[in-house]
């Protein structure tokens, strides 16, 4: 049954498993695992960086990046809802001794350039030293435009700051933006990274790998990052088994992200129709706009108490949390489409919700 909890729940395909099984192996700590070296070269060439580093998770590659850019007592400008600030256990502060300066997000997922500029501290011993701007793309499924990414990179350069992209779902952004700029997702992701000093790219979300992320940057930056990765316990041995999955994903699973986006839009459209037509749902379920593979729906607490257990009994797996809206407390439900959510799963889910509404 469909599992909408996250695009991290995907299982490797048979073809991906075959690549993993047949991978040439070495010892990555000694820098001689051939498959890992190939993955790092391939990704660096694709995204336009000198070098790359494989690590177990996006949380670790983000932390490695921040600790490589910043020293103890330095400051990183982040968004209130950025993964680096809110969802990574406070690692930048706890382990990196880096002060986060969080800013409020705009409705489109961006940080105002004026807010970023105003948050940069003067060179004064009373203040933490601002050293880094962090941007997340996509954020909650929202795609930050190419023009905005270029503006942030230009601002960072003008202010003498480093800039990092938490690109856990950067390939989703590239797939959305590519048609708008008459190019390929592979070229678009390179453009999105232009002017940034580093990027963290997850392989284990929409790209379908079982585990792993990449950190990309200059050769000198990656040399520093490798030392930090060791300190954080991220040095592994025969990583080629995992790197082979990453190579397969970058070669085969980027363009197909458009299918996930189409399924997510199909789900959003279907839910909107049901919410308008079925009395049991009217006024109690609202569908937020979709840009990529993540959909949010707001459901009244009374409806959520009945609908979510019903869907769970049908085998439909979701994540949700209480949310304070302008109209009071609601339940915000997240639906994430991925390579193991099919169009048939979407139709089946909509049918289950229709059946629920008719029973209530």
């Amino acid at each position: 049954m469909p599992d909408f909890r996250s695009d991290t729940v995907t299982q490797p395909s048979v073809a991906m498993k075959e690549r993993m099984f047949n991978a040439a192996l070495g010892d990555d700590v000694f820098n001689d695992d051939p498959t890992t070296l190939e993955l790092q070269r391939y990704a660096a060439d694709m995204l336009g960086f000198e070098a790359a580093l494989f690590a177990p998770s996006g949380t670790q590659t983000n932390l490695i990046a921040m600790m490589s850019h910043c020293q103890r007592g330095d400051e990183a400008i982040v968004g209130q809802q950025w993964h680096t600030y809110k969802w990574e256990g406070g690692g930048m502060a706890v382990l990196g001794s880096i002060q986060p300066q969080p800013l409020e997000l705009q409705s489109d997922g961006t940080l105002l350039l004026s807010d970023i500029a105003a948050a940069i501290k003067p060179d004064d011993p009373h203040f933490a030293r601002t050293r880094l701007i962090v941007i997340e793309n996509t954020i909650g499924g929202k795609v930050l435009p190419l023009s905005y990414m270029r503006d942030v990179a230009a601002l960072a350069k003008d202010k003498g700051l480093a800039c990092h992209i938490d690109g856990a779902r950067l390939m989703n952004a590239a797939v959305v933006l590519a048609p708008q700029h008459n190019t390929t997702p592979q070229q678009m992701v390179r453009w999105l990274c232009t002017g940034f000093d580093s990027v963290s790219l997850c392989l284990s979300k929409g790209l379908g790998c079982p585990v792993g992320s990449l950190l990309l940057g200059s050769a000198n930056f990656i040399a520093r990052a490798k030392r930090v990765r060791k300190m954080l316990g991220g040095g592994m041995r025969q990583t080629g088994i995992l790197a082979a999955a990453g190579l397969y994903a970058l070669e085969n699973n980027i363009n197909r992200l458009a299918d996930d986006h189409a399924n997510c839009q199909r789900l959003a459209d279907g839910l909107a129709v049901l919410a308008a037509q079925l009395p049991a749902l009217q006024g109690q379920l609202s569908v937020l706009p979709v840009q990529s593979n993540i959909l949010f729906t707001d459901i009244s607490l009374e409806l959520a108490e009945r609908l979510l257990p019903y869907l769970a009994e049908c085998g439909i797996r979701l994540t949700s949390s209480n949310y304070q809206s302008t109209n009071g407390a609601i339940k915000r439900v997240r639906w994430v489409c991925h390579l193991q959510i099919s169009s048939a799963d979407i139709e089946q889910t909509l049918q289950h919700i229709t059946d629920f509404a008719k029973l209530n």
Side-chain angles (χ1 to χ4, degrees), residues 77 103 111-120 133 135 148-163 195-196:
I77 295 173
L103 303 178
L111 302 176
L112 284 178
L113 295 177
S114 57
D115 286 350
I116 295 175
I120 299 170
I133 299 172
I135 292 294
Y148 177 77
M149 299 295 286
R150 288 174 170 170
D151 287 343
V152 172
L155 173 63
K157 183 177 181 180
D158 180 64
K159 300 298 183 181
L161 303 179
C163 49
F196 283 82

Side-chain angles (χ1 to χ4, degrees), residues 316-328:
I316 298 170
R317 308 183 78 176
L318 296 162
T319 58
S320 63
S321 60
N322 289 339
Y323 180 79
Q324 194 67 31
S325 73
T326 54
N327 297 320

Side-chain angles (χ1 to χ4, degrees), residues 33-54:
D33 185 280
T35 307
T36 302
L37 293 173
E38 184 182 357
L39 168 65
Q40 291 169 167
R41 283 192 298 268
Y42 187 92
D45 288 345
M46 178 183 288
L47 275 67
F49 289 95
E50 290 181 348
L53 184 67
F54 182 76

Side-chain angles (χ1 to χ4, degrees), residues 115-194:
D115 286 350
I116 295 175
I120 299 170
K121 307 298 186 293
D123 186 5
D124 184 306
H126 292 89
F127 303 115
R129 296 167 297 186
T130 308
R131 287 290 183 265
L132 178 66
I133 299 172
V134 179
I135 292 294
E136 185 171 339
N137 196 6
T138 64
I139 170 65
K142 295 178 180 179
V143 178
L144 307 193
L146 176 61
S147 59
Y148 177 77
M149 299 295 286
R150 288 174 170 170
D151 287 343
V152 172
L155 173 63
K157 183 177 181 180
D158 180 64
K159 300 298 183 181
L161 303 179
C163 49
H164 170 71
I165 303 173
D166 175 1
R169 296 183 176 90
L170 190 62
M171 289 301 183
N172 291 89
V175 167
V176 171
L177 294 172
Q180 302 174 20
H181 295 268
N182 194 31
T183 191
T184 65
Q186 291 78 3
Q187 180 61 58
M188 177 53 61
V189 76
R190 190 182 183 94
W191 289 348
L192 288 169
C193 294
T194 300

Side-chain angles (χ1 to χ4, degrees), residues 284 299-306 321-323 329-331:
Q284 298 198 69
I299 305 177
S300 70
L301 295 181
E302 188 274 331
L303 176 61
E305 288 178 357
R306 294 178 290 115
S321 60
N322 289 339
Y323 180 79
I330 56 171
K331 184 73 74 173

